[in-house]
Amino acid sequence: MKVWIDITNSPHAHFFKGVIRELEKRGFEVLVTTREFDGLTNVLDMLNIDYISVGKHGGATLEGKLLASTERVYKLSKLIIEEKPDIALYKNNPEAPRIAFGLKIPSIGFVDNETAVPQNKLMFPFTTRLIYPKVIDAYELLKCGADPNALRGIEGIAEIANVYGFTPNKNVLKELGLKEYSYIVMRPEPIKANYFNGDKERSILEDIIPLLPDMPIVLFPRTEEQRRIFEKFENVMIPENVIDTLTLLFYAKLMIGAGGTMNREALALGTPAISTYPGRLLAVTKWLIELGVKFHSTNPVEVATKAWEIIRKNSIYRKHIRMVMSSMENPVDVIVEEVERLSYSSDLRSYESLYKRSYEEKEYSHEQKL
């Protein structure tokens, strides 16, 4: 049985690497497709994942996103028609679900961002099985077209999958001239994302850095403009090439990020994290704050004060974080379980029946409107 996995963002490469490994161990053939975006193909190369690259990200404008996505659906459809996969897998993806639905390929999707409404509306109605962290209100998913019978909640976060089978490699520290637990990792705002509604001109991290202890900061900009802004800080280093970010996070004293994924990856590795995201917080972020493993603020003084405290009491914070994170469910196990269900003909027929029912309901709704 052939499983098609479409990876459209760098964190998704880490998310699916464990799934790919487990599926291949069980005898499944895996086809990976991707696109050009934010060094994604370089990450896949680093992880030794074979792939076919189709299309690219459309940039920050609505027009660019629409044209790039439309072109990618066309090109990717031609490839998938030729490859004939039996199951489709994806995460927070607007293109693969449409292709899978159109070709009657059962699909399994994962979502952890309920605020990305435009993207979700392009994904949920076409997804056969939708896996999500239970802390997300299912009503938020239903509003975007999810089939209530397709939902499967898990007691965990996506980034548990990102660190699946992780073993630290200190070579990255040698490359950057760093020592264990002697530096901070930072990631600025996702200004190109369709869900981002914060300040695109100035990052809050610019005001936080001068208030922090005098120690190295490894920063990962998302754009060339962000790179130019942060290069001016003497203690900030910006890696030129794709590196092992998981090891870097594992040995960091602290992670401070205005995004989401790297913050949660840090926590999954037992490293303290502070969120400075300026927009609406995700349900998973609120949950982690309630569990006492994550701190959030957009006030530079508050962030710096908390950072000093975490650095002083680092071992205490790490112990608590690891205890909490160890109790969470791993998405890799859930996804592989769902794929295995589809490997039996009876389950495949049930998914095809669900597809048929969903398709007929959409046709009936369309006729009623006419």
Side-chain angles (χ1 to χ4, degrees):
M1 179 171 280
K2 182 185 289 187
V3 179
W4 164 40
I5 303 178
D6 190 39
I7 299 176
T8 57
N9 204 348
S10 296
H12 302 179
H14 287 287
F15 179 82
F16 280 114
K17 69 178 184 290
V19 173
I20 293 169
R21 186 184 312 155
E22 293 301 324
L23 289 177
E24 289 180 338
K25 280 167 53 177
R26 289 163 172 78
F28 290 92
E29 180 183 355
V30 178
L31 166 69
V32 175
T33 56
T34 189
R35 64 177 179 175
E36 293 294 334
F37 175 54
D38 195 24
L40 174 54
T41 54
N42 292 331
V43 174
L44 290 168
D45 289 335
M46 181 185 71
L47 296 174
N48 295 314
I49 295 175
D50 294 329
Y51 60 87
I52 299 174
S53 183
V54 180
K56 61 183 180 179
H57 188 276
T61 68
L62 292 176
E63 295 84 358
K65 291 178 188 293
L66 176 61
L67 291 173
S69 181
T70 302
E71 181 180 5
R72 185 167 192 265
V73 167
Y74 174 71
K75 291 181 178 179
L76 193 54
S77 295
K78 294 176 70 175
L79 174 66
I80 298 307
I81 289 170
E82 181 181 335
E83 291 286 344
K84 295 180 173 58
D86 300 289
I87 306 169
L89 300 182
Y90 44 81
K91 179 180 186 291
N92 298 345
N93 187 315
E95 289 129 17
R98 177 65 186 90
I99 296 169
F101 185 82
L103 297 175
K104 295 189 177 182
I105 301 171
S107 60
I108 301 170
F110 190 97
V111 62
D112 60 354
N113 185 345
E114 73 280 12
T115 69
V117 174
Q119 184 183 73
N120 292 345
K121 286 184 176 181
L122 295 172
M123 171 180 166
F124 296 175
F126 306 110
T127 300
T128 315
R129 172 66 85 189
L130 186 62
I131 303 170
Y132 68 102
K134 281 184 178 178
V135 293
I136 296 177
D137 186 347
Y139 181 63
E140 295 292 334
L141 310 181
L142 298 178
K143 285 194 302 184
C144 290
D147 185 333
N149 296 315
L151 301 181
R152 177 172 178 178
I154 66 167
E155 295 284 354
I157 60 174
E159 287 71 22
I160 299 295
N162 293 25
V163 303
Y164 186 75
F166 168 74
T167 301
N169 185 335
K170 294 183 182 179
N171 287 339
V172 66
L173 300 185
K174 294 178 182 178
E175 292 173 11
L176 297 176
L178 297 170
K179 295 182 179 179
E180 301 169 31
Y181 313 116
S182 66
Y183 58 90
I184 296 171
V185 177
M186 284 189 170
R187 178 80 156 159
E189 294 80 356
I191 60 175
K192 285 187 177 182
N194 60 33
Y195 56 82
F196 182 72
N197 54 12
D199 188 352
K200 295 186 178 183
E201 301 298 325
R202 182 174 179 81
S203 172
I204 184 176
L205 300 183
E206 295 179 62
D207 299 319
I208 293 172
I209 291 174
L211 304 177
L212 296 175
D214 185 17
M215 59 196 310
I217 294 173
V218 185
L219 188 139
F220 294 90
R222 299 172 189 268
T223 66
E224 283 303 313
E225 179 59 29
Q226 288 180 341
R227 174 183 291 272
R228 286 192 290 271
I229 289 171
F230 289 104
E231 281 178 338
K232 67 184 180 183
F233 293 98
E234 290 184 3
N235 62 329
V236 170
M237 61 177 68
I238 300 176
E240 294 297 326
N241 303 308
V242 172
I243 63 172
D244 179 2
T245 55
L246 293 183
T247 293
L248 196 68
L249 287 171
F250 181 79
Y251 287 119
K253 199 79 169 178
L254 171 66
M255 168 71 204
I256 303 177
T261 300
M262 287 190 74
N263 288 344
R264 294 187 295 272
E265 283 179 337
L267 294 174
L269 292 166
T271 299
I274 298 176
S275 168
T276 61
Y277 184 68
R280 174 187 169 190
L281 297 184
L282 302 184
V284 290
T285 298
K286 294 177 182 178
W287 183 44
L288 293 170
I289 292 171
E290 290 171 3
L291 291 173
V293 296
K294 191 174 189 178
F295 178 77
H296 173 266
S297 177
T298 55
N299 183 311
V301 175
E302 289 181 359
V303 173
T305 301
K306 190 65 179 181
W308 280 86
E309 177 187 322
I310 290 173
I311 290 170
R312 287 197 306 271
K313 303 177 180 178
N314 207 249
S315 60
I316 296 174
Y317 275 91
R318 287 178 182 274
K319 183 178 179 180
H320 174 64
I321 290 167
R322 287 171 180 165
M323 179 185 69
V324 172
M325 303 305 287
S326 66
S327 66
M328 293 189 182
E329 196 171 5
N330 196 318
V332 172
D333 299 328
V334 177
I335 292 172
V336 171
E337 179 186 320
E338 290 291 338
V339 171
E340 286 187 315
R341 285 181 179 178
L342 289 179
S343 66
Y344 300 101
S345 59
S346 59
D347 286 326
L348 186 56
R349 282 196 296 271
S350 70
Y351 267 67
E352 289 174 343
S353 175
L354 179 60
Y355 169 89
K356 183 178 180 182
R357 185 171 70 251
S358 176
Y359 183 83
E360 289 173 346
E361 287 173 355
K362 288 179 176 64
E363 286 295 296
Y364 176 76
S365 175
H366 179 66
E367 291 172 2
Q368 290 293 97
K369 290 179 181 178
L370 293 177

